[in-house]
Amino acid sequence: MGGLWACHLHQADHPVTLILKDAAAEESFLRASTIKVDREQGTIENHFPATLAERISADDLTVDKISLLVTTKAYDTLTALQSISHILTSYSVVVIMQNGMGQHELVHQAFPHLPVMTAITSQGAYSKAPFHLVHAGHGDTWLGRLADQEQMVAKRQAADLLALNIPAFWDEDIASRMWVKLAVNCVINGLTVVRECRNGEILATELHSRIIRLCDELELVLAEVLSGSATPNLYDEVTRIAAATSNNISSMRQDVLKGTGTELDYINGYLCSEALRRNIDVPEHRALLHELRELVPS
Ligand code: KPL
């Protein structure tokens, strides 16, 4: 996702620097030398600088105010920000574009003065080779402020991202959207891992009553955390997204197949701890989390 947004920013003439996490990523970028994006209209190639986090210095940047789009996995967010803390100031704008919840609070605790925003996207991109992406699905992206920033100020800070050739909108109530996304990910990602299946296969009849119980519990949690905001019928939302992405391998299942870390603690784990903190009983989710913990390396 980072590569896709970097290309869109670059095409809109914004100075872009890719910040890579380790020497292996840097070596692979040097070998590729560009980011390629395959689209229906053909492949585009984008050249821009890349650097390692530890090597970046404020002098390398051609702008005095940086906007940072964080597209790491949720569990790497804090480490990623700490690795570039020497270039962050209270004028920097940080936009976290990821699945999961909980990482934003960690960032806010560690960097209380940093304006942190969140972005939720239904754009689909996958990597065909290192730094060669396929832009496979077009969707919308929603941005919103997280902490106590003023709506208009935050929206103005996100203006560059809202004006690209990729549909992106401001949401004054991004928390509701984040919770609905978390709820959908708890069910689809969780069940596709335990059933070792693609997204659409969770719609099989034998999972029907389990999905209903999971969604009923999620509605109890959402009613409490989003007091007042209208939430969609979660069963309809889960089944709609499972059908729309039916051939996808969910991100958590992809992580399990690759043997890398997963976002379990920021998806199903976060839901169960928030439910516990608020005294809401979610036995079906606790059972799913337990099953996932047996299967998924933490
Ligand atoms: O966000 C997703 C994910 O896999 O993390 C869904 C919507 C389930 C699509 O695969």
Side-chain angles (χ1 to χ4, degrees):
M1 213 36 80
L4 184 67
W5 282 79
C7 292
H8 279 274
L9 282 160
H10 178 70
Q11 301 215 324
D13 288 333
H14 293 289
V16 176
T17 302
L18 281 191
I19 305 178
L20 303 170
K21 87 170 186 186
D22 54 26
E26 188 184 36
E27 207 183 297
S28 147
F29 183 75
L30 289 175
R31 228 175 293 125
S33 79
T34 61
I35 294 194
K36 282 191 200 146
V37 182
D38 292 355
R39 308 171 305 166
E40 289 115 37
Q41 309 91 319
T43 301
I44 43 167
E45 282 200 48
N46 298 268
H47 298 258
F48 33 70
T51 180
L52 279 186
E54 69 213 36
R55 222 183 281 137
I56 194 164
S57 95
D59 302 337
D60 298 335
L61 304 167
T62 51
V63 287
D64 48 14
K65 188 201 87 168
I66 65 159
S67 302
L68 184 76
L69 188 58
V70 185
T71 55
T72 61
K73 288 282 176 181
Y75 51 79
D76 276 334
T77 314
L78 193 55
T79 321
L81 284 173
Q82 280 161 341
S83 71
I84 55 156
S85 58
H86 55 287
I87 59 160
L88 296 175
T89 69
S90 55
Y91 296 107
S92 313
V93 177
V94 176
V95 180
I96 298 178
M97 185 184 281
Q98 296 162 340
N99 272 343
M101 286 178 76
Q103 66 276 39
H104 312 84
E105 281 105 306
L106 298 178
V107 170
H108 189 55
Q109 279 157 19
F111 299 94
H113 304 299
L114 212 57
V116 179
M117 295 183 218
T118 193
I120 295 176
T121 187
S122 54
Q123 288 288 343
Y126 64 89
S127 182
K128 188 168 166 182
F131 300 99
H132 187 167
L133 314 172
V134 179
H135 189 184
H138 295 271
D140 292 333
T141 299
W142 296 89
L143 284 99
R145 59 160 194 176
L146 275 177
D148 11 279
Q149 296 149 262
E150 223 260 292
Q151 282 287 357
M152 290 319 288
V153 174
K155 186 174 176 185
R156 212 175 316 119
Q157 287 170 326
D160 289 347
L161 290 171
L162 296 169
L164 300 176
N165 189 17
I166 191 165
F169 310 95
W170 186 252
D171 186 346
E172 297 209 346
D173 181 21
I174 199 78
S176 301
R177 206 175 281 277
M178 287 169 77
W179 270 101
V180 172
K181 171 94 172 108
L182 183 92
V184 168
N185 284 140
C186 281
V187 181
I188 301 185
N189 296 26
L191 291 179
T192 54
V193 169
V194 296
R195 301 290 293 211
E196 300 184 8
C197 66
R198 287 183 185 257
N199 293 0
E201 290 169 72
I202 68 157
L203 300 174
T205 345
E206 71 265 23
L207 284 178
H208 182 78
S209 53
R210 189 171 187 187
I211 295 182
I212 290 184
R213 289 194 301 275
L214 287 166
C215 289
D216 286 349
E217 291 182 3
L218 283 164
E219 282 183 9
L220 294 178
V221 178
L222 263 63
E224 172 80 21
V225 293
L226 301 177
S227 50
S229 306
T231 52
N233 175 310
L234 284 180
Y235 177 80
D236 289 351
E237 194 62 7
V238 164
T239 50
R240 182 182 71 76
I241 295 181
T245 61
S246 97
N247 214 20
N248 277 23
I249 299 181
S250 74
S251 56
M252 198 185 292
R253 182 154 182 251
Q254 287 186 42
D255 293 337
V256 172
L257 293 171
K258 278 189 265 170
T260 59
T262 71
E263 296 178 313
L264 182 59
D265 288 342
Y266 297 86
I267 298 179
N268 306 75
Y270 184 82
L271 184 267
C272 288
S273 38
E274 277 299 296
L276 181 68
R277 204 165 70 78
R278 293 161 191 273
N279 284 324
I280 307 168
D281 196 20
V282 289
E284 198 66 44
H285 281 278
R286 277 192 276 111
L288 178 59
L289 180 61
H290 183 74
E291 258 182 277
L292 288 164
R293 289 230 187 275
E294 305 278 294
L295 297 167
V296 166
S298 56

